[in-house]
Amino acid sequence: MQGISGQSVNISIIGASGYTGAELLRLLSFHPFANIVAVTSRQFEGKAVKEVFPHLSKMKFENLMFENYKKEKIAEKSDVIFLCLPHKTAYPIVKELYETKKELKIIDFSADFRFKNPEIYEKTYRVSHTAKKLFEKVAYGLPEINRDKIKEKNIIANPGCYPTSVILGLYPAKSAGLIDTSFPVIADSKSGVTGAGRKSTIDFTFCEVNESFRAYAVEGHRHAPEIAEKLELKSVRFTPHLVPMNRGILSTIYFATKSSREELIEVYKEYYKNEYFIRLKENPPKTSDVAGTNFCDIYVTKDENTGLGIVVSVIDNIGKGASGQAIQNMNIICGFPENSGLNFPGNWI
Amino acid sequence: MQGISGQSVNISIIGASGYTGAELLRLLSFHPFANIVAVTSRQFEGKAVKEVFPHLSKMKFENLMFENYKKEKIAEKSDVIFLCLPHKTAYPIVKELYETKKELKIIDFSADFRFKNPEIYEKTYRVSHTAKKLFEKVAYGLPEINRDKIKEKNIIANPGCYPTSVILGLYPAKSAGLIDTSFPVIADSKSGVTGAGRKSTIDFTFCEVNESFRAYAVEGHRHAPEIAEKLELKSVRFTPHLVPMNRGILSTIYFATKSSREELIEVYKEYYKNEYFIRLKENPPKTSDVAGTNFCDIYVTKDENTGLGIVVSVIDNIGKGASGQAIQNMNIICGFPENSGLNFPGNWI
Amino acid sequence: MQGISGQSVNISIIGASGYTGAELLRLLSFHPFANIVAVTSRQFEGKAVKEVFPHLSKMKFENLMFENYKKEKIAEKSDVIFLCLPHKTAYPIVKELYETKKELKIIDFSADFRFKNPEIYEKTYRVSHTAKKLFEKVAYGLPEINRDKIKEKNIIANPGCYPTSVILGLYPAKSAGLIDTSFPVIADSKSGVTGAGRKSTIDFTFCEVNESFRAYAVEGHRHAPEIAEKLELKSVRFTPHLVPMNRGILSTIYFATKSSREELIEVYKEYYKNEYFIRLKENPPKTSDVAGTNFCDIYVTKDENTGLGIVVSVIDNIGKGASGQAIQNMNIICGFPENSGLNFPGNWI
Amino acid sequence: MQGISGQSVNISIIGASGYTGAELLRLLSFHPFANIVAVTSRQFEGKAVKEVFPHLSKMKFENLMFENYKKEKIAEKSDVIFLCLPHKTAYPIVKELYETKKELKIIDFSADFRFKNPEIYEKTYRVSHTAKKLFEKVAYGLPEINRDKIKEKNIIANPGCYPTSVILGLYPAKSAGLIDTSFPVIADSKSGVTGAGRKSTIDFTFCEVNESFRAYAVEGHRHAPEIAEKLELKSVRFTPHLVPMNRGILSTIYFATKSSREELIEVYKEYYKNEYFIRLKENPPKTSDVAGTNFCDIYVTKDENTGLGIVVSVIDNIGKGASGQAIQNMNIICGFPENSGLNFPGNWI
């Protein structure tokens, strides 16, 4: 494969000082084919990985120094770039990196290239996008529904954490035509606090999150249009909640359906039969089953009293919901076994 | 009022060693008219309140001794009895206490008398009920929708914790005819762990609850028929979840409606205008706003994209969801100001 | 009593938007003699208490508006002022308030007037103090060891949270001469996160505190000299730790002693026999026994193998460790029963 | 090496349904040379690993069935046996397995063979030991202080979790003669809740541990004699505490010393210079740095005011404190690189 240096791949992480960056560093520490060549951070420039992240002492990349981002330098030495930047900040960097070295594989964690339709992006995120031409180079990086495109494209738009949990929970039913769309699809999602990123605001201090549970963005959240577009639904009702725990998303999903419990289960089994990271469960899963991993555990049933199909799906928001999925995408792009470096269990407790 | 000993009321608590019993003891410690005369527990017979509950040292009832339940003794000295026993165990005790002393006021925490229709109880709880004649003496103890009945009856069926949060969240819309019942009403509820009671099972040990979030009883929970009956709905989709925190329930409720956001808010304001314990909020509430109290905070809105009315309601499951509400019922029965002993704020953090 | 308006006292809270301010507002909501006349905050000027603290809706002071601090205005309408400001910011305000109205009672939460010797303050906090003349007006506000002075003085230096737990744990032994000071006294203290105040720094975000335990300030903490001075020890070894919970301090204290377990217990019983807020325990207490209250629970024993006296003491760091103690001081100053508004139990769970 | 089947080792886990068993299963899932041949549990006999531990679905050993322990069957197919049983239950099993197959390597998680002197064991655990002859076959399994013995012996007594953290924190100072033993050594230790094992008692339910911190076994804990024996101290003051988190022990250790900070640090650096699992830190470590791993992070300093040496050490109680250390012992026994299957970082958040 062109652009990939033999059996191992040279990787740079832009914006590596947050939770998704730290998770990439953790996961790539034991990835058999990963060679991290650069980590960037304005804040931590000149510091070693082990200083910023003491839990990574004695690991392969412990002495790598955080550097300031310079496009030529980064582009030159990299085969794959993980871009852990916020929306709006990301697309100009994607653009200049692409222009500097066309054969680069760029995996973008932001929302900037997630939509097929840039106008929906602009409306949802209230910014204008000045790199629209690049959209033809982009694949939405949810392998279980889009693997072929991921193989072909240079820029991978790594999905949002909530959308990952909801889309994986609904895709088999939707694509099989089992959802009665005359009633709204409802995704009631609950997330651990790492989903908010590594930032210091009063709302995410320990004392104000701990021993409390809340809904937020009840009037509308940016992930709703992403979910709706990928599922080809006109709209979706999506309510996010904050759970006092670090990792994990659980989505409880409701949709009207004429199908029976058995039919639904059969369709999910068939759809996901070859997917390593999807585990269909006979009992409702809990977030601690998947915390720290790239797995998505799914439970499907039918409420006969109300005619509703019910799906419960769980992921780790910074695993399958971010950094794990990004590595899964890298594995696909690079022709590695798709679960390389990701075939380990969670801690559970 | 007959049966009430002057300005203060003599109270017994049957089964006082669990979380709802402890909460009654805590709340009645500073209730201006409460005189606890007996607390029963087989397990702790002969021990003082302060030995079993060290946090109650130096309080009014710290030296009260746990005793074994004997109907005559308890009936004789009590005006009001709080019965904190599980379903099926409760109704024979209610029956014998009622027969021993007709003027007793019994506030039953179990499900045994919550249903208008005992057959639904028997089906839901899979037991037969041999005190059906008593049902005419019973009022469902949710004051905001049933205050007049509570004043008249001798036996108060204290509502379930989840039903309290869901019924209070839906009643104004339902009674005003604003719910389009061609689409199912969905209550997605999340509860702290005290809701499971004080029992030692692996599932509720610290390590298996902490840092995990899960749905449970997805195939059907006993509180769904209670909710449906009180709201006069054919059925309701109810999914409970377990949050790693001690106190609090948040219910996110979805219903189809033609009404606008403003209409909905107006109807709720009007319905609850004289209710001390209902606080309508302009922002979605969090469980820590009500933890430790008898308040129910409610947020109402409309999702115009999907045509769904959305309600977020929060209570403390052992406050307004159990012991606080029981004391509110006692206050009503005894003719005390309804917020006596309950007009204090939560700790928040 | 001069300066106190009849049966109720007019109170201002300066810097009321943090955790200690919120706790004062909570506790004074049900204090029988408290009349809050002003709350100040630059950040929340013009907002009502219930907007800033939704848990205080429906409470007595819910509609009080946060205002900007102005010395004359505040001094004029107040009998008692609680000053919830950081060290160095506090003493100039104390000074100008005192000069504006000599009969004011000022309860200062900062460290600025805690030391008998201002030089130790200056060295410990690395600032110079330009209101040293006021020290003769000051009492250290730990009632159990200094009640008489508190009654006489105008400025009360409310103790630090850690010092409260350690001094109360050691005072009876020290004042009875039972500590062998040839071996250092060691206080190994563990605090909940509210102790750090309401501030947004990465170190106190939920994710970085949750599921982690750490020691901090191992090379030296400002509370060590405060503890040493009040106990008249040359020095004390004090190591603070951060516990992933909101409220509570537990101090485990070690000292060499020739006394037996029984002698130690006897001395503590005698010393604290009339103290409402001290509860001597027969079993080691836990922080949840006192969370939300002004109690200090103390367990005393002797390790015969090593000759060490061991004390375990628990308080709520923003209760007895801050706002509860401040109200206890106010009660003493105003001649109210010392436990007015403070005679309620904690939530426990 | 005799008894080891070529490059991979056949492993049985006796009592595999608790937390240490689950952790062994997790860690051995990605150990390059591990072949688990049997897992035993009375409770789960006939169930597959993935049914009992859903987080292990899709892992190598997911379909292994729990079986009932039978000595011949287990002995025959195993090279190495991990024994995860409580004290007193363990030693008869060790005995019969040893007698069944002398070349077996048995790694015992219980306290039954930890003491050099069986009398101290009998006194400490209040049982009599009827397999005392086996003591000469035993090595105490703390590799950093006893690696050579571990290589030679058949039975490895895996150390207690607290002793691991305390002994590793003190050994360099003690063996270099830097501790002034005229004063007691004090270890104030704090543990996550997994340390209590997977059992259902009221004391370890979520609600009673959460938001609470407590000391326990203040009058004496069984790990104190284990610590004292290994450090050759007459006695040690050891106070354990329970932290509301799942994994991790932090020990704060105090000892009198004439050495300077620099001398102490130098001695620790020299002693641990070749130890992969010991990470000496320049800042006090936190438990989340090591959670999920086999690392022990250590910080050493001196309090010049009191003349005390201070050590802060952190481990994961079921990692380096139990299952991780057991695998490290297995690696040593089998001649594998000592960090095989253990050279990965923790999740941190």
Side-chain angles (χ1 to χ4, degrees):
Chain A
M1 184 192 174
Q2 77 268 53
I4 303 302
S5 320
Q7 196 40 343
S8 85
V9 58
N10 290 327
I11 296 167
S12 291
I13 305 173
I14 316 287
S17 63
Y19 292 146
T20 53
E23 188 72 352
L24 283 171
L25 281 163
R26 176 178 83 90
L27 293 169
L28 296 173
S29 288
F30 46 81
H31 191 290
F33 313 121
N35 183 32
I36 306 181
V37 293
V39 287
T40 84
S41 158
R42 244 173 309 184
Q43 189 188 354
F44 295 116
E45 189 186 357
K47 291 203 168 178
V49 162
K50 70 178 170 190
E51 287 175 272
V52 175
F53 298 123
H55 66 294
L56 298 177
S57 302
K58 296 264 176 118
M59 293 300 119
K60 208 168 157 185
F61 307 113
E62 64 169 338
N63 291 316
L64 196 66
M65 304 301 280
F66 280 90
E67 58 189 81
N68 218 329
Y69 166 77
K70 291 211 187 73
K71 65 178 175 181
E72 289 84 4
K73 214 176 137 200
I74 294 292
E76 193 191 4
K77 58 183 165 182
S78 309
D79 302 316
V80 169
I81 288 175
F82 292 105
L83 206 69
C84 303
L85 297 175
H87 73 272
K88 197 183 168 183
T89 313
Y91 75 77
I93 308 284
V94 171
K95 194 176 170 217
E96 69 184 28
L97 286 170
Y98 176 74
E99 287 168 356
T100 305
K101 185 172 169 185
K102 291 271 183 315
E103 64 274 27
L104 270 180
K105 300 290 186 179
I106 302 171
I107 298 173
D108 177 20
F109 281 56
S110 86
D112 287 358
F113 295 96
R114 285 183 195 155
F115 290 85
K116 273 181 220 156
N117 182 344
E119 277 75 43
I120 299 181
Y121 167 79
E122 290 183 316
K123 193 180 149 202
T124 304
Y125 286 82
R126 293 180 197 178
V127 290
S128 64
H129 199 304
T130 62
K132 290 181 193 169
K133 269 186 264 175
L134 282 179
F135 275 72
E136 60 177 40
K137 307 289 179 194
V138 173
Y140 187 69
L142 191 51
E144 287 78 7
I145 71 165
N146 208 33
R147 187 172 285 110
D148 291 342
K149 286 272 170 48
I150 293 165
K151 287 178 187 164
E152 291 167 10
K153 301 291 184 179
N154 284 72
I155 300 165
I156 308 300
N158 214 46
C161 51
Y162 284 124
T164 296
S165 77
V166 177
I167 297 167
L168 291 174
L170 280 169
Y171 207 84
K174 181 59 176 56
S175 62
L178 305 184
I179 297 179
D180 171 359
T181 54
S182 65
F183 289 117
V185 168
I186 297 173
D188 190 285
S189 294
K190 300 88 176 172
S191 176
V193 188
T194 45
R198 193 181 198 194
K199 62 185 178 211
S200 54
T201 57
I202 285 287
D203 271 8
F204 293 102
T205 51
F206 182 81
C207 297
E208 313 212 1
V209 169
N210 183 40
E211 286 301 286
S212 193
F213 183 86
R214 62 180 194 250
Y216 64 97
V218 177
E219 298 300 330
H221 187 281
R222 289 160 169 180
H223 283 167
E226 183 179 341
I227 296 166
E229 189 194 74
K230 302 312 168 193
L231 290 168
E232 297 179 358
L233 290 165
K234 224 187 74 212
S235 68
V236 68
R237 172 61 210 174
F238 167 66
T239 317
H241 302 74
L242 192 71
V243 186
M245 64 180 184
N246 281 10
R247 288 167 179 253
I249 285 176
L250 183 146
S251 291
T252 315
I253 307 168
Y254 305 91
F255 56 90
T257 183
K258 301 249 174 322
S259 304
S260 70
R261 184 174 197 271
E262 289 64 37
E263 281 176 276
L264 288 170
I265 290 172
E266 206 41 57
V267 161
Y268 277 72
K269 275 194 180 154
E270 179 59 26
Y271 190 88
Y272 287 133
K273 69 182 170 201
N274 295 321
E275 295 296 342
Y276 178 75
F277 292 113
I278 308 292
R279 304 188 296 195
L280 295 174
K281 311 300 284 186
E282 288 174 26
N283 294 298
K286 51 192 187 303
T287 59
S288 54
D289 291 339
V290 297
T293 79
N294 198 48
F295 288 105
C296 175
D297 286 6
I298 295 176
Y299 177 79
V300 185
T301 192
K302 174 80 183 284
D303 179 354
E304 291 299 342
N305 290 326
T306 55
L308 291 170
I310 317 275
V311 175
V312 177
S313 77
V314 297
I315 60 168
D316 181 334
N317 50 294
I318 54 170
K320 181 66 176 165
S323 303
Q325 183 139 276
I327 293 173
Q328 185 182 359
N329 281 317
M330 179 190 80
N331 288 339
I332 292 170
I333 289 170
C334 297
F336 303 143
E338 196 167 318
N339 66 1
S340 297
L342 297 169
N343 53 351
F344 60 88
N347 285 357
W348 172 40
I349 39 93
Chain B
M1 184 193 174
Q2 78 267 54
I4 303 299
S5 319
Q7 204 24 0
S8 87
V9 59
N10 289 328
I11 296 166
S12 291
I13 305 171
I14 315 288
S17 64
Y19 292 145
T20 54
E23 188 70 352
L24 283 171
L25 282 162
R26 175 177 83 90
L27 293 170
L28 295 172
S29 289
F30 46 81
H31 191 288
F33 313 121
N35 183 32
I36 306 181
V37 295
V39 287
T40 84
S41 158
R42 244 174 309 186
Q43 188 188 352
F44 295 116
E45 189 186 358
K47 292 206 168 176
V49 161
K50 71 177 170 190
E51 287 175 272
V52 175
F53 298 122
H55 66 295
L56 297 177
S57 302
K58 298 266 175 115
M59 294 300 118
K60 209 166 156 187
F61 308 113
E62 64 169 337
N63 291 317
L64 197 67
M65 303 301 281
F66 280 89
E67 59 188 80
N68 219 328
Y69 166 77
K70 289 208 188 74
K71 64 178 175 184
E72 288 85 3
K73 212 176 138 200
I74 293 292
E76 193 191 4
K77 58 182 166 184
S78 309
D79 303 315
V80 169
I81 288 176
F82 293 104
L83 206 72
C84 304
L85 297 175
H87 73 272
K88 198 182 168 183
T89 312
Y91 75 76
I93 308 285
V94 171
K95 196 178 170 215
E96 68 183 30
L97 285 170
Y98 175 75
E99 287 167 355
T100 305
K101 184 171 170 185
K102 291 271 182 313
E103 64 274 27
L104 269 180
K105 300 290 185 178
I106 303 171
I107 298 173
D108 176 20
F109 282 55
S110 87
D112 287 358
F113 295 97
R114 286 185 195 154
F115 290 85
K116 277 182 219 157
N117 182 343
E119 278 75 44
I120 299 180
Y121 168 80
E122 290 183 316
K123 193 180 149 203
T124 305
Y125 285 82
R126 291 178 198 182
V127 290
S128 64
H129 199 303
T130 62
K132 289 181 192 168
K133 269 187 266 177
L134 283 178
F135 274 72
E136 59 177 39
K137 308 287 179 196
V138 174
Y140 186 69
L142 191 52
E144 287 77 7
I145 71 166
N146 207 33
R147 188 172 286 108
D148 291 341
K149 288 270 171 49
I150 292 166
K151 288 178 186 164
E152 292 167 10
K153 301 290 185 178
N154 285 74
I155 301 165
I156 308 300
N158 215 47
C161 50
Y162 285 123
T164 296
S165 77
V166 177
I167 297 166
L168 291 175
L170 280 169
Y171 206 83
K174 182 60 176 56
S175 63
L178 305 184
I179 297 179
D180 170 0
T181 55
S182 66
F183 185 72
V185 167
I186 298 173
D188 191 285
S189 294
K190 301 87 176 172
S191 176
V193 188
T194 47
R198 194 181 197 196
K199 61 184 180 213
S200 54
T201 55
I202 286 287
D203 271 8
F204 294 102
T205 50
F206 182 81
C207 298
E208 313 213 359
V209 169
N210 183 40
E211 285 301 288
S212 193
F213 182 88
R214 62 180 194 250
Y216 64 97
V218 177
E219 298 301 328
H221 187 281
R222 287 157 169 181
H223 282 168
E226 184 180 341
I227 296 166
E229 190 194 72
K230 302 312 167 193
L231 290 168
E232 297 179 358
L233 290 165
K234 228 188 71 208
S235 69
V236 69
R237 171 62 210 174
F238 168 66
T239 317
H241 302 74
L242 191 70
V243 186
M245 65 181 183
N246 281 10
R247 290 166 178 253
I249 285 177
L250 183 147
S251 290
T252 314
I253 308 169
Y254 305 91
F255 56 91
T257 183
K258 301 247 174 322
S259 303
S260 70
R261 184 173 196 270
E262 289 66 34
E263 282 177 276
L264 288 169
I265 290 173
E266 205 41 57
V267 161
Y268 277 72
K269 275 194 180 156
E270 180 57 27
Y271 190 89
Y272 287 134
K273 68 182 170 200
N274 296 320
E275 295 296 343
Y276 178 76
F277 292 114
I278 307 292
R279 303 187 296 194
L280 295 175
K281 310 301 282 187
E282 288 173 26
N283 294 298
K286 50 193 187 300
T287 59
S288 55
D289 291 338
V290 297
T293 79
N294 199 48
F295 289 104
C296 176
D297 287 5
I298 296 177
Y299 176 79
V300 185
T301 192
K302 175 80 182 286
D303 178 356
E304 291 300 343
N305 291 325
T306 55
L308 291 170
I310 317 276
V311 176
V312 177
S313 77
V314 297
I315 60 168
D316 182 334
N317 50 294
I318 55 172
K320 181 67 177 164
S323 303
Q325 184 141 275
I327 291 172
Q328 185 183 0
N329 281 318
M330 180 191 81
N331 288 340
I332 293 169
I333 290 170
C334 297
F336 303 143
E338 197 167 319
N339 67 0
S340 297
L342 296 170
N343 52 352
F344 60 88
N347 286 356
W348 171 41
I349 41 94
Chain C
M1 182 194 175
Q2 75 267 54
I4 302 300
S5 321
Q7 205 26 356
S8 86
V9 59
N10 289 327
I11 296 166
S12 292
I13 306 172
I14 315 289
S17 63
Y19 292 146
T20 54
E23 189 71 353
L24 283 172
L25 282 163
R26 176 177 85 88
L27 293 169
L28 296 173
S29 288
F30 47 80
H31 192 290
F33 312 122
N35 183 33
I36 306 180
V37 294
V39 287
T40 83
S41 159
R42 244 173 309 184
Q43 188 188 356
F44 295 116
E45 188 186 357
K47 293 205 168 178
V49 162
K50 71 178 171 190
E51 288 174 90
V52 174
F53 297 122
H55 66 293
L56 298 176
S57 302
K58 298 264 175 120
M59 294 299 118
K60 209 167 156 186
F61 307 113
E62 64 169 338
N63 292 316
L64 197 67
M65 304 301 281
F66 279 91
E67 59 189 78
N68 218 329
Y69 166 76
K70 290 208 187 75
K71 64 178 176 182
E72 289 84 3
K73 212 176 138 200
I74 293 292
E76 191 191 5
K77 58 183 167 184
S78 308
D79 302 317
V80 169
I81 289 176
F82 292 105
L83 206 70
C84 304
L85 297 175
H87 72 273
K88 197 183 168 183
T89 313
Y91 75 75
I93 307 284
V94 171
K95 194 178 170 214
E96 69 184 26
L97 285 170
Y98 176 74
E99 288 168 356
T100 304
K101 185 173 169 185
K102 291 270 182 317
E103 65 273 28
L104 269 181
K105 300 290 186 178
I106 302 171
I107 298 173
D108 176 20
F109 282 56
S110 86
D112 287 359
F113 295 96
R114 286 185 195 152
F115 290 85
K116 274 181 221 158
N117 182 345
E119 278 74 44
I120 299 180
Y121 167 80
E122 290 183 316
K123 193 180 151 203
T124 305
Y125 286 82
R126 293 177 197 181
V127 289
S128 63
H129 199 304
T130 62
K132 288 180 193 168
K133 270 187 260 175
L134 284 178
F135 275 71
E136 61 178 37
K137 307 290 178 193
V138 174
Y140 187 69
L142 190 52
E144 287 77 7
I145 71 165
N146 208 33
R147 188 172 285 111
D148 292 341
K149 287 272 171 47
I150 293 165
K151 286 178 189 166
E152 292 166 10
K153 300 290 185 178
N154 284 73
I155 300 165
I156 308 301
N158 216 47
C161 50
Y162 285 122
T164 296
S165 77
V166 177
I167 297 166
L168 291 174
L170 280 169
Y171 206 83
K174 182 60 176 55
S175 61
L178 306 184
I179 297 180
D180 169 1
T181 54
S182 67
F183 185 71
V185 168
I186 297 173
D188 190 286
S189 295
K190 302 86 176 175
S191 176
V193 188
T194 46
R198 193 182 198 197
K199 61 184 181 213
S200 52
T201 55
I202 284 288
D203 270 9
F204 293 102
T205 51
F206 182 81
C207 297
E208 313 212 0
V209 170
N210 182 41
E211 287 300 284
S212 194
F213 183 86
R214 62 179 193 251
Y216 64 98
V218 177
E219 298 300 330
H221 187 281
R222 289 159 169 180
H223 283 167
E226 183 180 341
I227 296 166
E229 188 194 75
K230 302 312 166 191
L231 289 167
E232 296 177 359
L233 289 166
K234 224 188 74 210
S235 68
V236 69
R237 172 61 209 175
F238 168 66
T239 318
H241 302 74
L242 192 71
V243 187
M245 64 180 184
N246 282 9
R247 287 168 180 254
I249 285 176
L250 184 147
S251 291
T252 314
I253 307 168
Y254 306 91
F255 56 92
T257 183
K258 301 247 173 325
S259 304
S260 70
R261 184 173 196 270
E262 289 64 36
E263 282 176 277
L264 288 170
I265 291 173
E266 207 40 59
V267 162
Y268 278 72
K269 275 194 180 154
E270 180 59 24
Y271 190 88
Y272 287 133
K273 69 181 170 204
N274 295 319
E275 296 296 341
Y276 179 76
F277 293 114
I278 306 292
R279 304 188 296 195
L280 294 175
K281 312 300 285 185
E282 287 172 27
N283 293 298
K286 51 191 186 304
T287 58
S288 55
D289 291 340
V290 296
T293 79
N294 198 50
F295 289 105
C296 175
D297 287 6
I298 295 176
Y299 177 80
V300 185
T301 191
K302 174 83 182 282
D303 178 356
E304 291 299 343
N305 290 325
T306 55
L308 291 171
I310 318 274
V311 175
V312 177
S313 78
V314 296
I315 59 167
D316 182 334
N317 50 296
I318 54 172
K320 182 67 175 165
S323 303
Q325 183 139 276
I327 292 172
Q328 184 182 358
N329 281 318
M330 180 191 80
N331 289 340
I332 292 170
I333 290 171
C334 298
F336 303 142
E338 196 167 319
N339 66 0
S340 297
L342 297 170
N343 53 351
F344 60 89
N347 287 356
W348 172 40
I349 42 92
Chain D
M1 184 194 174
Q2 76 269 53
I4 302 301
S5 320
Q7 197 39 344
S8 85
V9 58
N10 289 326
I11 297 166
S12 291
I13 305 172
I14 314 289
S17 64
Y19 292 146
T20 53
E23 189 70 351
L24 283 171
L25 281 162
R26 175 177 85 88
L27 293 170
L28 296 173
S29 288
F30 47 81
H31 191 288
F33 312 121
N35 182 33
I36 307 180
V37 294
V39 288
T40 85
S41 158
R42 246 173 308 185
Q43 187 188 356
F44 295 116
E45 188 186 359
K47 292 205 167 177
V49 162
K50 70 178 170 190
E51 288 175 272
V52 175
F53 298 122
H55 66 294
L56 298 177
S57 302
K58 297 266 175 116
M59 294 301 118
K60 209 166 155 187
F61 307 113
E62 65 169 337
N63 292 315
L64 196 68
M65 303 302 282
F66 279 90
E67 59 189 80
N68 219 328
Y69 166 77
K70 288 207 189 78
K71 64 177 175 184
E72 289 84 3
K73 212 176 138 200
I74 293 292
E76 191 192 4
K77 57 182 166 183
S78 308
D79 303 316
V80 169
I81 289 176
F82 292 105
L83 207 71
C84 303
L85 297 175
H87 72 273
K88 197 182 169 184
T89 314
Y91 75 74
I93 307 284
V94 171
K95 194 177 172 216
E96 69 184 27
L97 285 169
Y98 175 75
E99 286 168 355
T100 305
K101 185 173 167 183
K102 291 271 183 312
E103 66 272 30
L104 268 181
K105 300 291 185 178
I106 302 172
I107 298 172
D108 177 20
F109 282 56
S110 86
D112 287 359
F113 294 98
R114 286 185 195 154
F115 289 85
K116 273 180 222 158
N117 182 346
E119 278 73 44
I120 300 180
Y121 167 81
E122 290 182 317
K123 193 181 152 204
T124 304
Y125 287 83
R126 292 177 198 182
V127 292
S128 63
H129 199 304
T130 63
K132 289 181 192 167
K133 266 187 266 175
L134 282 178
F135 274 73
E136 60 177 38
K137 307 287 178 196
V138 174
Y140 186 67
L142 190 51
E144 286 78 7
I145 71 165
N146 207 33
R147 189 171 285 111
D148 291 342
K149 287 271 170 48
I150 293 165
K151 287 178 187 165
E152 293 166 10
K153 301 290 184 178
N154 285 74
I155 301 166
I156 309 300
N158 215 46
C161 50
Y162 285 123
T164 297
S165 77
V166 177
I167 297 166
L168 291 175
L170 280 168
Y171 207 83
K174 181 60 174 59
S175 62
L178 306 184
I179 297 180
D180 170 359
T181 54
S182 66
F183 290 117
V185 167
I186 298 174
D188 191 285
S189 294
K190 301 87 176 173
S191 176
V193 189
T194 46
R198 193 183 196 194
K199 62 184 178 212
S200 53
T201 56
I202 285 287
D203 271 8
F204 293 102
T205 51
F206 182 80
C207 298
E208 313 211 1
V209 169
N210 184 39
E211 287 300 288
S212 194
F213 183 87
R214 62 181 195 250
Y216 65 98
V218 177
E219 298 300 329
H221 187 281
R222 288 158 169 179
H223 283 167
E226 183 180 340
I227 295 166
E229 190 194 73
K230 302 312 166 192
L231 289 168
E232 296 178 358
L233 290 165
K234 226 187 74 209
S235 69
V236 70
R237 171 62 208 175
F238 167 65
T239 317
H241 302 75
L242 192 69
V243 187
M245 64 179 184
N246 282 9
R247 289 167 180 252
I249 285 176
L250 183 147
S251 291
T252 314
I253 308 168
Y254 305 91
F255 56 91
T257 184
K258 301 247 174 325
S259 303
S260 70
R261 185 175 196 268
E262 289 63 37
E263 281 176 278
L264 289 170
I265 291 173
E266 205 41 56
V267 161
Y268 278 72
K269 275 195 181 155
E270 179 59 24
Y271 190 88
Y272 288 134
K273 68 183 170 200
N274 296 319
E275 295 297 341
Y276 178 75
F277 293 114
I278 307 292
R279 302 188 296 195
L280 295 175
K281 311 300 283 186
E282 288 173 25
N283 293 297
K286 51 191 188 302
T287 59
S288 54
D289 291 339
V290 297
T293 78
N294 198 49
F295 289 104
C296 176
D297 287 5
I298 295 176
Y299 177 80
V300 185
T301 191
K302 173 83 183 284
D303 178 356
E304 291 299 342
N305 290 325
T306 55
L308 291 171
I310 317 275
V311 176
V312 177
S313 77
V314 297
I315 59 168
D316 181 334
N317 51 294
I318 54 171
K320 181 67 176 165
S323 304
Q325 184 141 275
I327 292 172
Q328 184 183 359
N329 281 317
M330 178 190 83
N331 288 340
I332 293 169
I333 291 169
C334 296
F336 303 144
E338 197 167 319
N339 67 359
S340 297
L342 297 170
N343 52 352
F344 59 88
N347 286 356
W348 172 39
I349 42 94

